[in-house]
Amino acid sequence: MTFRQIAVPTLAILIFLALWEALVWVMGWPNYKMASPSDLLPAYERYWSLFLTMGWQTLWRTVVGLLIAVIFGTALGMVMGFSRTMRDALYPLLVGFNAVPKATVVPIVALMFVGMHDFNTVLIAFMISFFPIAVSVSIGLSTLEPEYRDILRSLGASQSVIFWKIALPKTLPEFFGALKVAVTLAFIGTNLMEIVSPHGRGLGALFDSGKTNSDYPLMFAVLIALAFLGIVLYYVVVALEKIFTGWAERPQG
């Protein structure tokens, strides 16, 4: 990673925090109405151990839900990508399922699996993040040029060889693009369950505690912590993308 790739995002974050601080100061908002960046450090110092514990719980559940979404979404996308019939049959169901607001599904899941908080949270993270992965893999495989298949088949290549040599590399750029979206969606699902569940743990539960006690600095500190975890996981995906699909990146200019 170059100096520019580090400096530019860092500068953008600092400018954002400065504008946020200036807005609160100009509007004269007290911290029980709108916390400022300068209010966040005391909150982190006061609840540091809770942030470490709750942050880890949120992170591992999100990662597990995302990994399951990758496995299931990839398998489902392959089925739809290689079969026009399955694609026509499953697309309406997937679109309809994805159109249902997940905030309405969370209470149902919480009641169905009472006392299984880890399972509930991972399940919602999975449910909210697998759709873009499945769609991207399906589109990547269904738009594979038939000439490639015909040439490889004429040379005696099997279906598995065609998949590993042609279909999979072609699909990877779309897959990683969808995975970047799925990362943020998985965090949304995790925190929805952590907030709604009566036995919730994680940063969502810490946010709900701050809301109950009208502790705005704590609430905004949780939001920044969530944003930080999301950024870290996003750049993990970016690093993997460069490793596996660096060949697809075109130089600018």
Side-chain angles (χ1 to χ4, degrees):
M1 184 173 288
T2 64
F3 173 77
R4 178 183 177 278
Q5 290 174 318
I6 297 175
V8 172
T10 302
L11 180 60
I13 292 173
L14 292 176
I15 292 174
F16 168 75
L17 292 176
L19 291 174
W20 179 5
E21 184 77 30
L23 177 64
V24 174
W25 181 78
V26 169
M27 299 301 295
W29 288 327
N31 63 6
Y32 58 82
K33 185 175 182 180
M34 177 68 174
S36 65
S38 59
D39 296 321
L40 303 184
L41 285 178
Y44 286 126
E45 292 175 357
R46 184 178 180 182
Y47 301 105
W48 182 245
S49 61
L50 281 177
F51 271 100
L52 289 178
T53 303
M54 300 294 193
W56 166 247
Q57 291 175 346
T58 294
L59 181 61
W60 80 258
R61 294 190 192 106
T62 302
V63 171
V64 172
L66 185 62
L67 289 176
I68 298 174
V70 168
I71 296 170
F72 180 80
T74 301
L76 188 62
M78 290 174 62
V79 170
M80 295 190 298
F82 285 126
S83 172
R84 177 66 179 269
T85 301
M86 294 302 295
R87 187 163 63 251
D88 293 341
L90 293 177
Y91 251 114
L93 294 175
L94 289 177
V95 172
F97 174 80
N98 195 59
V100 175
K102 298 306 178 287
T104 63
V105 177
V106 168
I108 298 174
V109 173
L111 290 174
M112 287 177 63
F113 305 101
V114 175
M116 303 171 62
H117 180 66
D118 290 341
F119 177 79
N120 291 343
T121 309
V122 170
L123 178 61
I124 290 297
F126 154 73
M127 290 173 63
I128 204 172
S129 60
F130 84 92
F131 179 78
I133 297 173
V135 171
S136 69
V137 173
S138 172
I139 292 175
L141 294 178
S142 63
T143 55
L144 178 65
E145 290 81 355
E147 293 83 3
Y148 292 153
R149 297 181 184 178
D150 294 340
I151 292 173
L152 288 175
R153 283 173 180 168
S154 67
L155 296 175
S158 64
Q159 187 70 19
S160 62
V161 171
I162 294 175
F163 173 75
W164 288 107
K165 297 296 184 181
I166 299 295
L168 181 61
K170 181 184 184 301
T171 306
L172 281 177
E174 290 88 350
F175 168 79
F176 278 104
L179 190 56
K180 292 175 184 176
V181 176
V183 164
T184 57
L185 293 177
F187 270 106
I188 293 172
T190 301
N191 284 277
L192 280 174
M193 180 56 73
E194 289 174 348
I195 292 173
V196 170
S197 177
H199 305 291
R201 297 184 300 275
L203 291 176
L206 190 59
F207 177 88
D208 194 52
S209 175
K211 182 184 70 174
T212 302
N213 297 298
S214 299
D215 190 342
Y216 272 58
L218 175 59
M219 293 169 63
F220 278 90
V222 170
L223 295 179
I224 296 300
L226 287 170
F228 173 76
L229 291 178
I231 291 171
V232 169
L233 206 54
Y234 174 87
Y235 277 103
V236 169
V237 174
V238 170
L240 293 174
E241 182 183 29
K242 289 185 178 297
I243 293 173
F244 291 105
T245 64
W247 51 267
E249 185 175 340
R250 298 180 180 179
Q252 297 181 354

